[in-house]
Every structure is written in C-alpha cells, then in structure tokens.
Amino acid sequence: MSIDLSREAKSEQMKNVSAYIDKVLSLIEKEEVTTEEAAWITKETVDGFRENVNPGFLSYRKTVTKDSQFAAVEWSDTGSCFKDVNGKEYIDCLGGFGIYNVGHRNPKVVKAVTDQLKRQALHSQDLLDPLRAMLAKILADITPGDLKYSFFSNSGTESVEAALKLAKMYSDRTTFISTTRAFHGKSLGALSGTAKGMFRKPFLPLIPGFRHVPFGDIDMMRKTFEICSSVGEDVAAVILEPIQGEGGIILPPEGYLKQVRELCDQYGALLIFDEVQTGMGRTGKMFAAELYDVVPDIICLAKAFGGGVMPAGAVVAKEEVFKSWFPNPFMHTTTFGGNPLACAAAIATIGVLIEENLPERAAVVGEYFLKELKEAAKGHEDKVLEIRGQGLMIGIEFHKDEIGYDVSKGMFDNGVLVAGTLINSKTIRIEPALTISYEEVDQVVSIFKKVLSQVEA
Ligand SMILES: *Cc1c(COP(=O)(O)O)cnc(C)c1O
C-alpha cells in the first residue's frame, strides 16, 4: 500500500479491502462453488502468488504439474483425497508430507476440535489448561519406555528446537551429532541439524557444535564420538530420524539404531529421535522407535500429531532429562503451543489411531502397496533403481531426477499426487492416509504402471 495516499483515497481503499474480504468470506462459507467462482478463485490465487506471496512457487509448481494445470488450486478434501477448485479429485499420496495419517478431515478429529471451539479456542496463559495435562498423560502412556514429560509446540521445527535446547540445558554440553541427508526443519537451530547444503549455506554460521556423519555408518559415528571426547567437546546429543523422510526414505541398516543407543550411553550423550514424520503410526508401529526396539531420551513429534486438522507438535522426554526445566518452566515457552484446539485434535487423533488399529493397518497395507509397486516396475529397471519402504512410508528411487519429475507429472495428470524429496524427484515419496482403501492403492499402482511405460529412461 502506498504511504502518500490522501485521506479520501485511503478510506476508499479500505472500503475496497472490506468488500474483498466479504467476497472471500462468502466463498469460504460455500460448500460448492460455481464455474465462474472457480475461475475467479484460480485467477486471484495465481495473481496473489505472483504479486504478494512468492512468484517462485508458480514456476516450481509448473515443474511438478502438466502444462496449464500449473494453476491447480486446491479447495476441499476428505478421506484419502482432495479436490481442486474445478472439482477434479486426486488421490493424495503426498499426504502433506505425512500429516494425514488419520485421513483428511477425519470426522472424529473435526468433531473434537469444533466441540472445543464452541467452548474455548485458546488458553488464558495463566490458569491451568486441562487438555494439555490429559494429552501429556496419554503421551506418557503410548510413547516407548519411560518417556514421561511433554512440551507442546506448533510444528516439527519447533519440536526439534525444543529438543536441542533441552539437551543443552540437561547436559551442559554444546556438541551435537547429526546425520547426512537429515531433515530437522529450517529455523536456525533445527537447520544446524538439517543436512542439505543448499538450505544451509546462505545462513552459515549456524549453531556452533554440529557435526554430520553419514546416516547408517556406525563406524563414523563411533569415531566421531571418540574424537569429540578426545578434544574435550563432549557430545550433548545425537539427533536423527529413525527412518529418513526428506532424505529419500532411507531405512537404517540392521542393528544401527541400537548401536547408536549404546554409543550414546557409553559417552553420556542423549539420543533424540526426530519422529516428526515417522511417528503416529506411519511406519507400522505407533512410533518407529518400537520397530527397532530402541528407547530414545527425547522424541520429537508434529506433522500427523494434529490429525491433519490442527498444527501441533510435541517433545516427550524422560523425567531425568526433562527435570532440567522443572525449576523454571519458562526457560522455553510458546504462546500457542499446546493450545486447547491443538490438544483436542491430538487427543482425538491418538484415539482414532488406537481404535482403528491404524499403525497395524499401515504395516499390512504398506506391505501390499510395496509388493504391488515392485511388481508394476518390473521390466522398467532402466528407469527405476529401487522401491523401498516401511509401513506407509514408501520411496521410489529412479536413475535420474528427470524420470522422477516425469513420473510425478504423469501421475498428477492422472489424479494422483506424489511427493519429491528435498526439492528433488530422484526419489518420489508415497505417504497416503493410513486409512487408504485397497481399491485406491490398486488405482495408484495401475496409474504408476501406465505412466512408467510412457516416460523415457
Ligand atoms: C517435516 C519435518 C520437520 C519439520 O517440521 P515442520 O512442521 O515443517 O516445521 C522436522 N523433522 C522431520 C523429520 C520432518 O519430516
């Protein structure tokens, strides 16, 4: 807005803003929009991204969608699917990078949030808010081992940030070991643990004391511990994803996580599992830690934690560690973290995961999905390098980035959304709702097979 507008011009402008707001609110209110309204929404969205959000998104979207479809604008969602504003339906295999574990707008989660909303949305910040206590108790019950105390955040990045600060406070040490291909978020602290150079370089130096070792290489991990100890830079914590997500669905080698746990114990370092993506049933267990029978000292949660309805995250830690924050609970705080709507969503989400046995469903459907994808890729070894996964966290790795792009584009054109990894399509990710039906899985596989035969090696 120009600053030298006359008083009259300003008031005229505010009138226009008001009319625009009324129009937008009237559209939000509607269940269905007309063809003209859809065209208006599409134009406003593309213009708005170009002029006021970031035009970079438009060229980026063009690379993962086909021709004119770069203006695909989403409007509604339910179950395993979402619809664009023109009413075209897509099976969502990107799943918001793993946020829709209980499906899009799961009715039980929506009900809990709207019921809570009718009574109180956010908390006073001073009285004791009940849902935070109840959710923390539930988490203590469902997380592995003796994880007991919870701090609530609004995102995965914030959960990682809290975990790093807690580890520093507890240990009075400042060295962290992270892994190559790791993704822990993009705030300055979390980014220090993240591995991708492109995202880190412009912001160096980050938090001092971070060392990256190859994920899965226990010898390098051991040597790094030895070196850190010998030069007097004792390790506060190792932070890693039990299964790397953004890095390309990388499974840990047999026994790796147990060996990391042993090294941490040997050197008095904490083990932080970033389960922002692997948690809440995604890998076939409620938490990936259970798959490998390892109990971390701190676990980071977010993404699916809010049931695909509310932004919500948490760190859960052992009492011995968390008690560093007992004397002054204001050492690390956030206004919105653990708000009543987020807690209502998380409580209902955990309820659905347990009642509907969704972790187990992820294991069974995931195994079927993986088998069918491998079958569909037979004869295309010149294009597909490997298909791997655990539960409903599946990665398809191609020989080249370009093949991945073409496959993603082709699948989108046929009504299936899949994800690249780290703005790279060499590996595409499949992370649908854990409630996805076998019919939908079959549909995705047959589209994958068709598209695979159409793209060039
Ligand atoms: C997505 C992700 C994060 C960051 O979470 P945000 O909610 O985007 O801040 C951190 N760690 C892992 C493993 C993730 O997948």
Side-chain angles (χ1 to χ4, degrees):
M1 193 195 297
S2 170
I3 47 164
D4 53 5
L5 287 180
S6 70
R7 228 190 146 109
E8 294 73 43
K10 246 187 210 158
S11 113
E12 188 58 30
Q13 185 161 44
M14 285 305 145
K15 258 189 219 144
N16 291 340
V17 171
S18 238
Y20 190 84
I21 289 171
D22 286 344
K23 175 148 191 183
V24 174
L25 291 177
S26 80
L27 287 169
I28 293 175
E29 204 175 47
K30 289 191 175 174
E31 288 196 17
E32 301 285 339
V33 292
T34 64
T35 314
E36 296 80 60
E37 285 166 339
W40 185 83
I41 291 166
T42 302
K43 183 180 178 303
E44 285 300 299
T45 307
V46 174
D47 289 353
F49 267 83
R50 184 184 302 113
E51 300 298 328
N52 304 112
V53 179
N54 184 339
F57 282 116
L58 297 178
S59 45
Y60 166 68
R61 292 312 305 174
K62 232 190 289 188
T63 64
V64 291
T65 65
K66 257 193 152 174
D67 313 321
S68 59
Q69 272 188 343
F70 83 90
V73 172
E74 59 193 37
W75 191 248
S76 62
D77 63 345
T78 188
S80 312
C81 300
F82 69 90
K83 276 188 190 168
D84 70 19
V85 73
N86 298 312
K88 181 175 174 180
E89 193 165 70
Y90 301 81
I91 300 178
D92 185 6
C93 281
L94 185 154
F97 298 114
I99 57 183
Y100 295 113
N101 291 16
V102 296
H104 289 252
R105 285 188 311 119
N106 183 293
K108 286 180 187 158
V109 180
V110 170
K111 181 176 188 309
V113 173
T114 47
D115 286 348
Q116 176 61 40
L117 185 56
K118 282 181 211 151
R119 204 177 56 254
Q120 188 192 26
L122 300 174
H123 48 313
S124 73
Q125 310 288 330
D126 191 55
L127 279 72
L128 297 177
D129 43 313
L131 297 190
R132 192 154 26 142
M134 293 164 193
L135 176 56
K137 175 187 159 74
I138 293 166
L139 280 175
D141 282 340
I142 66 165
T143 47
D146 47 355
L147 294 169
K148 183 161 187 254
Y149 282 91
S150 288
F151 169 83
F152 295 107
S153 73
N154 306 287
S155 69
T157 302
E158 283 180 49
S159 293
V160 168
E161 210 63 44
L164 298 177
K165 284 181 72 179
L166 182 58
K168 278 196 168 188
M169 184 107 180
Y170 167 77
S171 65
D172 209 17
R173 300 176 180 182
T174 57
T175 302
F176 288 90
I177 300 178
S178 175
T179 56
T180 53
R181 305 184 78 147
F183 186 82
H184 298 296
K186 291 176 185 161
S187 66
L188 292 170
L191 188 60
S192 307
T194 290
K196 197 172 170 84
M198 190 230 291
F199 294 145
R200 303 175 90 248
K201 216 167 172 179
F203 309 106
L204 295 172
L206 294 162
I207 307 294
F210 272 83
R211 303 180 180 220
H212 289 77
V213 301
F215 182 79
D217 185 339
I218 197 65
D219 291 329
M220 274 297 281
M221 181 73 81
R222 183 178 298 108
K223 282 199 184 102
T224 306
F225 263 108
E226 281 167 17
I227 293 166
C228 287
S229 165
S230 75
V231 300
E233 296 176 15
D234 289 322
V235 177
V238 170
I239 179 164
L240 48 76
E241 302 150 86
I243 298 170
Q244 292 189 319
E246 305 286 323
I249 315 293
I250 316 285
L251 303 170
E254 181 81 37
Y256 175 68
L257 296 173
K258 273 205 156 129
Q259 289 169 305
V260 173
R261 173 75 271 183
E262 283 161 17
L263 282 172
C264 287
D265 292 342
Q266 189 185 332
Y267 287 92
L270 298 178
L271 179 58
I272 303 170
F273 274 2
D274 179 350
E275 292 226 31
V276 167
Q277 200 164 139
T278 53
M280 316 317 292
R282 172 62 51 194
T283 66
K285 295 277 185 194
M286 188 65 90
F287 303 101
E290 297 166 52
L291 284 173
Y292 304 103
D293 198 20
V294 171
V295 180
D297 300 292
I298 305 175
I299 195 166
C300 302
L301 304 173
K303 292 216 165 92
F305 186 61
V309 171
M310 291 299 297
V315 286
V316 192
K318 295 180 177 176
E319 177 168 2
E320 166 64 17
V321 177
F322 200 93
K323 74 179 187 204
S324 329
W325 281 349
F326 286 175
N328 186 352
F330 299 99
M331 278 317 286
H332 187 69
T333 57
T334 150
T335 302
F336 292 138
N339 71 70
L341 295 176
C343 287
I347 291 168
T349 300
I350 296 166
V352 171
L353 287 167
I354 295 171
E355 260 169 48
E356 299 181 16
N357 227 348
L358 292 183
E360 168 138 6
R361 193 168 191 282
V364 177
V365 178
E367 198 173 296
Y368 173 77
F369 208 151
L370 194 61
K371 179 172 80 62
E372 294 295 302
L373 284 170
K374 284 182 178 167
E375 191 64 36
K378 280 205 179 129
H380 296 288
E381 288 75 12
D382 53 336
K383 297 168 193 166
V384 178
L385 183 63
E386 188 184 42
I387 304 182
R388 55 181 176 262
Q390 176 67 48
L392 279 168
M393 191 170 178
I394 297 173
I396 306 172
E397 184 165 354
F398 299 93
H399 288 284
K400 287 186 300 192
D401 215 18
E402 292 74 20
I403 304 172
Y405 269 123
D406 290 345
V407 171
S408 305
K409 270 189 220 174
M411 289 183 78
F412 188 78
D413 208 29
N414 284 277
V416 177
L417 182 67
V418 294
T421 50
L422 287 172
I423 314 198
N424 179 336
S425 291
K426 190 163 184 291
T427 301
I428 60 176
R429 265 185 295 173
I430 301 204
E431 297 189 37
L434 310 186
T435 53
I436 191 170
S437 69
Y438 280 99
E439 291 73 33
E440 286 164 331
V441 171
D442 289 343
Q443 219 175 319
V444 172
V445 172
S446 85
I447 288 168
F448 172 65
K449 189 170 174 167
K450 180 176 107 180
V451 170
L452 200 53
S453 68
Q454 291 166 348
V455 303
E456 292 185 11

